[in-house]
Amino acid sequence: MTSPPSHLWLNALLQALQFAQSTWLSAMYALGITDDSHGAPAWPWASRIAGENLVIDVSLARQFAWMLAAIAFALLCLTIALCWRRAWRWLTVAAIGALVIAPWPSPPLWLAAAVPTSFHTSPTGFTVESIARGARIYAAQCVACHGDDGRGEGPLAQTLRRWPPTMASALLSRRADGELFWHVLYGMRDDQGVTMPGFVGRLNDREVWAALDYMRVLSASAGMAAGGSWPVPIAIPSVAVKCGNGPDAPVAAWRGRQRVRVVAVDAAHPAPFEDPRFLTLLIRTADSPTASTASTASTVSAVRTAASPQTRANVTPLFGARADCVADSPQAWQVFAQIAGASPSSLAGTEWLADRDGWLRALAPAGRRGWADGGLMCTTTTALATTTGDPLTATLRQMDDDPVRFVKGGFVH
């Protein structure tokens, strides 16, 4: 997946714009200037600054930044002029000059239509359970138009005035979470009428957020089927992790700021050895005969025992301990199969790598030669090519050198 070259200044600008708008909304809500909508402050205007437009047009972003700089300079000059009366003429001329030479890009280029929930964020936490719930909702309410694969070719799609957009694209990353939520509830229309029916009265807020969680996973699956890559960055789904006989811990607390390797294991694909370069998280099938055991340690032991004699022969002190931290959710297998674009029956042996920020970045499908055939699923055109004799180390270095730069309403990646 590629996009325009990323720039630190651009990322900082987009982050600052998002922070400024969110802070201004919170202040208006605290002062009683705006009400709430669906449990959070409602954006009161019909437009917002479109970070997603600035992401895809760096020259526009540069003009916008110079415009802001000119406005800031003019305000500074006028403020000083109020305090330094002797120089007010020169300061006023400088302020006017800055405003005159500023590029002033056309507002329709950097403004986007907004809705009351534009700055809302999902309360689900992108959990495995929410994604699984969203899959059921999608199958019942959305598949008729958007299709099983999310490519907008469902059986009722041809009855609509406009075909649904494919999810095998950056669609979901180019829209703010709250705007996707609003459009699912209340539908979409253009000058000629309705382009997507709404689901208000049929779905509650929590169900809509769950459906959006699943659509992000479906986007990854559709992208893998279409081009062998993820069209948007996708985070490790939140799941409880159980290590040995210890208590469950949320995946975010368990990993901290460490890289994570996720491995799908079964009887023929035992748990790998621990590796100091990352933490290892195992996922297993829900119908595994060992899936209901109380002890994760006994589960991993059972998988090893069921492996072939050749596999058991490789378990030696030379390689250290085998990984024993397991995703403690029966839905994890299905969710990760969807992310990999694979059927659940062929998932065993698949591996994923997540960076230090929790973004899934690389995939080594089952049946291939590990990371010699694997690669980054989310990169920029400025990704650094790393040459080394170890493909896994090369992939890890690329992940570290080319981080995902997340901006609400759009990704720099």
Side-chain angles (χ1 to χ4, degrees), residues 6 14 49 78 163 167 230 311 331:
S6 58
L14 297 174
I49 298 175
L78 294 177
W163 282 73
M167 294 183 190
W230 296 321
T311 301
Q331 290 94 2

Side-chain angles (χ1 to χ4, degrees), residues 130-338:
S130 176
I131 295 168
R133 184 185 306 114
R136 296 190 293 271
I137 295 168
Y138 181 90
Q141 303 289 345
C142 311
V143 73
C145 293
H146 288 277
D148 289 322
D149 57 5
R151 297 179 63 83
E153 299 173 354
L156 297 183
Q158 60 183 343
T159 66
L160 301 177
R161 191 170 53 79
R162 179 183 298 176
W163 282 73
T166 177
M167 294 183 190
S169 68
L171 169 70
L172 296 183
S173 74
R174 299 305 182 197
R175 304 299 294 268
D177 293 347
E179 291 177 358
L180 292 171
F181 169 84
W182 182 272
H183 293 315
V184 171
L185 269 183
Y186 299 104
M188 300 179 68
R189 63 175 54 245
D190 59 16
D191 294 340
Q192 298 178 353
V194 174
T195 59
M196 172 181 161
F199 290 85
V200 65
R202 285 191 282 173
L203 297 177
N204 60 38
D205 290 4
R206 188 171 182 83
E207 289 172 329
V208 173
W209 286 119
L212 290 174
D213 281 346
Y214 174 71
M215 288 179 192
R216 296 189 186 282
V217 173
L218 185 60
S219 177
S221 176
M224 287 298 297
S229 184
W230 296 321
V232 297
I234 186 168
I236 300 177
S238 182
V239 65
V241 179
K242 189 175 184 62
C243 298
N245 292 317
D248 284 3
V251 67
W254 168 75
R255 70 172 181 83
R257 289 279 298 171
Q258 300 298 314
R259 306 185 194 99
V260 176
R261 172 182 60 178
V262 182
V263 185
V265 298
D266 65 1
H269 301 82
F273 296 102
E274 292 283 13
D275 191 309
R277 293 172 291 184
F278 38 67
L279 300 175
T280 299
L281 176 64
L282 309 178
I283 58 172
R284 63 197 180 197
T285 57
D287 57 355
S288 169
T290 61
S292 61
T293 58
S295 169
T296 303
S298 64
T299 299
V300 175
S301 176
V303 170
R304 294 180 201 158
T305 302
S308 65
Q310 292 84 356
T311 301
R312 293 199 301 271
N314 291 331
V315 184
T316 68
L318 177 64
F319 295 99
R322 288 206 181 253
D324 68 349
C325 291
V326 179
D328 196 14
S329 171
Q331 290 94 2
W333 188 272
Q334 180 67 40
V335 168
F336 275 91
Q338 190 99 50

